[in-house]
Amino acid sequence: MADIRFKAATLQYEGNPRPTINNLDLHIQDGEFLALVGPSGSGKSTTLRMVAGLEKLSKGEIYIGNNETSTLAPSKRDVAMVFQSYALYPHMTVAENMAFALKMQKVNKEEQRKRVAEASRLLDLDQYLDRYPKALSGGQRQRVAMGRAIVRDPQVFLMDEPLSNLDAKLRVSTRAEISQLQRRLGTTMMYVTHDQTEAMTMADRIAVLEGGVMQQVGTPEQLYLHPANTFVATFIGSPSMNMVTGTIETNEIAIGHIRLPLPPLTSEPSNRDVIVGMRPENFELTSETDADTAATVRFIENFGADKYVHIEIEGLVDLGDFIVRVPNTASLQPGETVFTKVDPSALHIFDSETQRRIVI
Ligand code: ADP
């Protein structure tokens, strides 16, 4: 097993005006599960391919354990990659698919058999070893792809959206299986996904990429509770954080006619205008006297355990909808007037120019 260290790793494709990966510094601990998230095109796959040795860095270094990788061929890096398309060999059985890389490495037959048996037991594939891929479900094929990685007993797993081809229910059960398996094996994991829920539920830490630039690295809790900038604030969390512009007054923040107490700031904003973020669960519906403001219910999404209520704040219609989470016991109708109050200790405040967090 090994840690992975990126030092100012940069990759600029020929003909591209900007680097696809720009000065990436990141240390993934030995045995850690790191999820790499970001929107499509942010450079997640490229980062993984750089570790695998499928892309050459323009600048900087990547270490796997003590090995600086620039002169290390992909086959010598001791990493195993699992892709979105499982790319199983259709003419080979499950057992043959799983043993293929070992056969290429000229591992002896007995050892091959032993490792395939171990991996298939871990993955609950024992009874399918003689089947061909076409006779397997999507979830089983995905497990065979995992099995091919596991039998190699690599220092590092690199997984690129491995659950995208599964239906929603299977995705949820498989993500739990993968994270339990990784913890049991203790193999360092870099896991690429565009799905922040997947990252939040599976990873020890999450790294957020945008435009090839690392925005923040932290535990799921750190990213959710203390997003470093507006990009991370809106990317992590579903539904997204409500964001509005506000103005700092002496001890208050003004959002239109609403006045909220100003929480302690870590640094002075560059001007009085700030961006204020509020998560849907930080609101409550309350009485008129207790409320920050009145609002009109636009529509309601019922999620069973709770409801997301889209509201338009009176006098602030041009701010657009706010989303407020309420228990399913709240009985509300579109068009109804409600009174809302936000928890002032849960405000996220960002500098309007730098977009960086300035609240503790
Ligand atoms: P993600 O995995 O986050 O969706 P990618 O790593 O696939 O993003 O791509 C990042 C950016 O690099 C994209 O803008 C993509 O068009 C560009 N890119 C990827 N591969 C190449 C290539 N071989 N040549 C030029 N540009 C590329």
Side-chain angles (χ1 to χ4, degrees):
M1 280 182 283
D3 60 345
I4 307 170
R5 211 179 280 266
F6 293 76
K7 289 191 175 171
T10 300
L11 187 148
Q12 185 154 4
Y13 288 112
E14 242 181 73
N16 275 14
R18 287 189 312 124
T20 288
I21 302 299
N22 200 348
N23 256 315
L24 179 63
D25 286 308
L26 176 64
H27 183 198
I28 305 165
Q29 307 286 341
D30 185 7
E32 186 175 24
F33 190 131
L34 182 110
L36 191 57
V37 300
S40 181
S42 57
K44 304 181 295 295
S45 295
T46 305
T47 306
L48 217 57
R49 292 166 58 81
M50 283 157 67
V51 180
L54 305 174
E55 302 284 354
K56 198 167 151 39
L57 275 64
S58 320
K59 245 177 45 199
E61 287 141 18
I62 298 174
Y63 289 81
I64 301 177
N66 293 325
N67 298 320
E68 199 277 303
T69 54
S70 59
T71 56
L72 215 55
S75 60
K76 297 275 182 278
R77 295 189 180 203
D78 202 6
V79 301
M81 214 160 164
V82 178
F83 296 97
Q84 174 178 352
S85 65
Y86 318 129
L88 302 180
Y89 299 110
H91 58 287
M92 291 184 195
T93 63
V94 167
E96 287 164 350
N97 262 288
M98 282 168 64
F100 185 71
L102 302 178
K103 198 167 153 192
M104 292 292 102
Q105 289 171 4
K106 306 215 174 356
V107 172
N108 73 52
K109 281 251 163 62
E110 182 49 31
E111 180 67 17
Q112 284 183 31
R113 201 201 52 73
K114 200 175 120 221
R115 292 211 214 163
V116 168
E118 264 169 29
S120 58
R121 202 168 42 245
L122 275 175
L123 293 161
D124 234 351
L125 285 170
D126 309 58
Q127 67 270 46
Y128 304 107
L129 286 174
D130 295 328
R131 284 210 195 166
Y132 287 90
K134 66 173 187 304
L136 299 175
S137 70
Q140 290 161 345
R141 282 180 212 169
Q142 202 281 338
R143 295 217 295 278
V144 178
M146 291 279 300
R148 286 202 307 196
I150 291 172
V151 293
R152 294 176 51 196
D153 190 21
Q155 300 212 60
V156 172
F157 287 133
L158 302 174
M159 300 205 180
D160 195 350
E161 308 255 5
L163 305 184
S164 320
N165 286 339
L166 304 182
D167 65 45
K169 192 163 170 227
L170 200 54
R171 242 188 351 248
V172 172
S173 58
T174 313
R175 78 184 181 211
E177 280 171 21
I178 293 181
S179 47
Q180 283 167 23
L181 195 62
Q182 186 273 339
R183 282 173 178 93
R184 187 146 20 123
L185 297 171
T187 310
T188 311
M189 167 80 90
M190 268 189 92
Y191 185 101
V192 161
T193 176
H194 65 276
D195 179 346
Q196 57 90 30
T197 309
E198 222 168 271
M200 292 288 282
T201 52
M202 295 175 85
D204 297 316
R205 283 192 309 155
I206 301 175
V208 185
L209 263 186
E210 151 74 344
V213 178
M214 187 60 73
Q215 303 293 313
Q216 188 173 5
V217 187
T219 63
E221 291 76 11
Q222 284 166 345
L223 266 57
Y224 193 79
L225 296 173
H226 301 281
N229 56 34
T230 52
F231 180 81
V232 177
T234 46
F235 192 78
I236 301 286
S238 175
S240 270
M241 189 184 279
N242 299 291
M243 302 289 247
V244 287
T245 51
T247 312
I248 295 194
E249 320 248 288
T250 316
N251 288 316
E252 291 178 325
I253 295 182
I255 302 168
H257 62 273
I258 304 171
R259 294 289 179 279
L260 300 171
L262 179 66
L265 302 181
T266 53
S267 63
E268 283 299 307
S270 50
N271 59 52
R272 286 177 57 225
D273 292 334
V274 289
I275 299 166
V276 184
M278 295 165 262
R279 293 222 182 263
E281 66 270 27
N282 296 138
F283 290 87
E284 61 172 319
L285 301 183
T286 181
S287 65
E288 185 170 2
T289 47
D290 216 19
D292 298 323
T293 186
T296 308
V297 174
R298 288 228 313 116
F299 66 96
I300 301 150
E301 293 172 289
N302 196 335
F303 279 82
D306 42 27
K307 293 175 180 170
Y308 293 124
V309 186
H310 294 242
I311 58 170
E312 209 166 60
I313 293 181
E314 254 170 39
L316 297 178
V317 172
D318 47 345
L319 288 185
D321 276 7
F322 271 59
I323 302 181
V324 175
R325 194 173 94 186
V326 299
N328 70 354
T329 46
S331 135
L332 296 166
Q333 298 302 323
E336 189 178 330
T337 299
V338 289
F339 299 96
T340 66
K341 183 174 173 60
V342 70
D343 174 0
S345 69
L347 292 183
H348 300 263
I349 301 173
F350 305 94
D351 189 302
S352 63
E353 268 173 33
T354 64
Q355 309 281 308
R356 298 200 65 77
R357 179 183 191 83
I358 51 166
V359 69
I360 289 172

